[in-house]
Amino acid sequence: MGEVTALNPVLRVAQALQEPKAVTEKRDAAWKLYESLEVPRLEKTDLRRVAWEVGEFEPSEAAIPESALAYVRGIAHSYALVVDGLVREIRLAAEAKEKGISLLAIQEACEAHPEIWNRHFGSIVPAEEAKWTALNMALFAGGVFVHVPRGVELEQPVEVVYVWTGRPFSACSRSLVVTDPLSRLRYAETTFAADGGRFVNSHVLEVFAGQASRVEVAMADEWSKGGIHFVTRRAKTDNDAEIDWVVADTSDGQAVETIESALVGQGSRSLTRVMGLGHGRAHVEITASMRHVGRHTESEISMNGALRDRANVIFRSRTQIEKGAVGAGSEQHDRMIMVDGTARADAIPMLLIDENDVERCGHAASVGKIDPMQVYYLMSRGIPQSVAVQMIIWGYLRDSVEALPTDAMRDLVVSRVERELAR
């Protein structure tokens, strides 16, 4: 490894975290890979003007915004608070502690749970996959490790609250969630992000759902203006495991996001719900992906979005049924509604089928303006036009909001949506 210089941010992060040598060596290899990889080309997002600036990492003592602080102080279940890429606080609730749940900073898991770490860390989202996953592996400096033992069912969720105060640093958070057989977990991520300078941020979540376990993952994202955010969330299932995703995105920045389930185990299933409200000059590209590998696997994707101002949002549903995935079944539903004529939307369904014996596989996608007859009908009942429009939009979004695991998350997303709709 090289010397500690401004050109070697890997060692700055490693020294700040006082982590095991094995982790630093993994970072160093990923950094060299990151520097060697070309900037990728995406079909719908132009990356040529992206400043791949990573900034200089320094432990942050920045004050937490009042809105985020009030949200955290209202949490009664297990949570971790991550500020500017560093875990500032972890609290394990009594129920989780009694049941043997592990919740700790991601780099600590290398020594606390070496067998799980070596088996899963970086195997679900490898550094070699893309320039931004290599960047994440090199600089990850926040995130948690969650482990649920065999047969344990946790009623209350485990939540990670990410706060970015606007520092121009690539806060590459990374988390690993592992559930043993016959267990159940609800895991949530909530984002509060201030606008910042030009930088690139890569966020990674890896989930391994053990045999016959059930994992529900929920996100309330609001990526900020300034840099570009690459978000990779991926789960891998064992036999008969279930993984459900709920994403509520109200970003006003530039983001490229992937939510993927790799249905490797026989009889495993997955459901992905995405709710997006694009506003301002947001450019958000979200891909919900299901990869069927095991036999008799089931999946469903439902994406609903509303756009206003000059937002540009791409919803891409992707289902891949690999050779040997006998009896697989999958459905896709993408619906996007345009509030303003200046917004732009793309709904792109994709079916990639390499197996003849498929149970079912279908898709439906639509992009359109609000139906004026629906608005007229509501106005004829004495409802003002602006309220009628909001009611129709909520008709698109509400199912995903209702699927969020806590009242606080639902209230937060509702307030973010209503704030933008009221402008």
Side-chain angles (χ1 to χ4, degrees):
M1 292 180 286
E3 297 180 353
V4 181
T5 70
L7 298 178
N8 196 338
V10 166
L11 294 184
R12 287 180 177 272
V13 175
Q15 287 189 340
L17 297 180
Q18 296 293 301
E19 63 191 14
K21 182 180 178 182
V23 179
T24 308
E25 290 175 347
K26 190 178 284 288
R27 290 183 188 279
D28 192 59
W31 179 256
K32 292 171 182 172
L33 178 64
Y34 163 74
E35 289 191 307
S36 68
L37 290 174
E38 299 290 330
V39 176
R41 292 185 177 183
L42 302 180
E43 180 186 5
K44 295 290 183 178
T45 301
D46 188 355
L47 300 180
R48 290 175 297 179
R49 296 184 179 180
V50 172
W52 291 79
E53 297 290 340
V54 299
E56 293 187 6
F57 179 78
E58 297 291 343
S60 171
E61 296 181 357
I64 302 172
E66 189 58 37
S67 58
L69 192 60
Y71 181 85
V72 172
R73 293 299 169 247
I75 295 176
H77 47 263
S78 303
Y79 73 87
L81 172 62
V82 181
V83 181
D84 288 338
L86 283 178
V87 175
R88 187 171 290 191
E89 181 181 348
I90 289 182
R91 190 183 73 181
L92 196 59
E95 180 201 7
K97 196 175 297 182
E98 291 171 0
K99 293 184 174 180
I101 307 292
S102 295
L103 172 62
L104 59 160
I106 182 68
Q107 72 276 3
E108 296 175 2
C110 178
E111 292 185 327
H113 297 273
E115 184 179 345
I116 299 174
W117 171 277
N118 292 329
R119 188 188 311 162
H120 297 299
F121 183 82
S123 67
I124 302 174
V125 182
E128 296 78 8
E129 182 172 299
K131 191 175 181 70
W132 53 80
T133 56
L135 175 65
N136 180 280
M137 183 66 78
L139 299 184
F140 71 91
V144 299
F145 168 84
V146 182
H147 174 241
V148 183
R150 181 186 183 91
V152 169
E153 295 191 4
L154 189 64
E155 291 298 325
Q156 295 296 319
V158 173
E159 185 169 1
V160 183
V161 180
Y162 291 101
V163 178
W164 282 284
T165 62
R167 296 175 65 212
F169 167 68
S170 298
C172 296
S173 47
R174 186 182 190 106
S175 294
L176 172 63
V177 176
V178 178
T179 58
D180 284 352
L182 303 169
S183 60
R184 181 187 176 192
L185 173 71
R186 290 193 293 167
Y187 173 84
E189 292 185 348
T190 305
T191 305
F192 294 84
D195 295 343
R198 298 183 68 194
F199 67 100
V200 58
N201 170 41
S202 178
H203 174 88
V204 168
L205 169 64
E206 295 178 295
V207 180
F208 179 78
Q211 183 176 2
S213 67
R214 176 177 172 80
V215 187
E216 300 170 53
V217 184
M219 278 77 73
D221 290 337
E222 192 171 55
W223 304 109
S224 60
K225 290 183 286 190
I228 182 168
H229 305 269
F230 294 99
V231 183
T232 309
R233 289 164 168 142
R234 184 173 302 152
K236 181 180 178 182
T237 62
D238 204 338
N239 291 344
D240 300 315
E242 298 182 21
I243 173 79
D244 288 348
W245 303 90
V246 181
V247 181
D249 191 295
T250 54
S251 297
D252 186 21
Q254 185 174 11
V256 177
E257 304 183 36
T258 301
I259 307 108
E260 180 174 296
S261 294
L263 301 170
V264 177
Q266 178 174 326
S268 57
R269 57 165 296 277
S270 182
L271 165 65
T272 297
R273 292 191 184 93
V274 176
M275 180 229 83
L277 175 69
H279 56 94
R281 298 179 66 91
H283 181 103
V284 180
E285 179 173 343
I286 302 178
T287 301
S289 177
M290 297 289 181
R291 187 164 70 90
H292 293 254
V293 181
R295 299 164 67 92
H296 303 291
T297 50
E298 293 276 344
S299 71
E300 181 177 346
I301 298 172
S302 177
M303 305 178 77
N304 295 302
L307 280 75
R308 61 172 309 175
D309 303 328
R310 299 182 65 183
N312 182 2
V313 175
I314 302 103
F315 278 178
R316 184 181 288 106
S317 298
R318 183 178 187 273
T319 298
Q320 180 180 4
I321 300 178
E322 296 190 359
K323 187 68 177 176
V326 174
S330 179
E331 295 287 341
Q332 301 174 3
H333 306 278
D334 299 344
R335 295 193 304 167
M336 304 182 76
I337 190 167
M338 315 293 288
V339 183
D340 297 329
T342 50
R344 178 177 175 179
D346 291 279
I348 307 172
M350 299 174 64
L351 300 177
L352 306 173
I353 304 173
D354 197 26
E355 169 58 49
N356 293 326
D357 187 1
V358 173
E359 184 69 23
R360 58 186 171 81
C361 196
H363 65 81
S366 66
V367 177
K369 298 179 180 178
I370 292 179
D371 187 347
M373 290 303 295
Q374 293 180 350
V375 178
Y376 175 78
Y377 176 83
L378 292 172
M379 292 176 65
S380 69
R381 267 60 181 172
I383 299 173
Q385 182 177 8
S386 60
V387 178
V389 170
Q390 291 185 29
M391 291 173 66
I392 294 169
I393 293 172
W394 271 117
Y396 277 79
L397 307 181
R398 183 163 295 280
D399 284 350
S400 296
V401 176
E402 292 296 323
L404 294 169
T406 67
D407 290 342
M409 283 190 80
R410 287 189 285 272
D411 291 345
L412 177 67
V413 173
V414 168
S415 68
R416 287 173 173 176
V417 172
E418 290 188 339
R419 178 193 65 201
E420 297 306 322
L421 294 182
R423 286 192 297 109

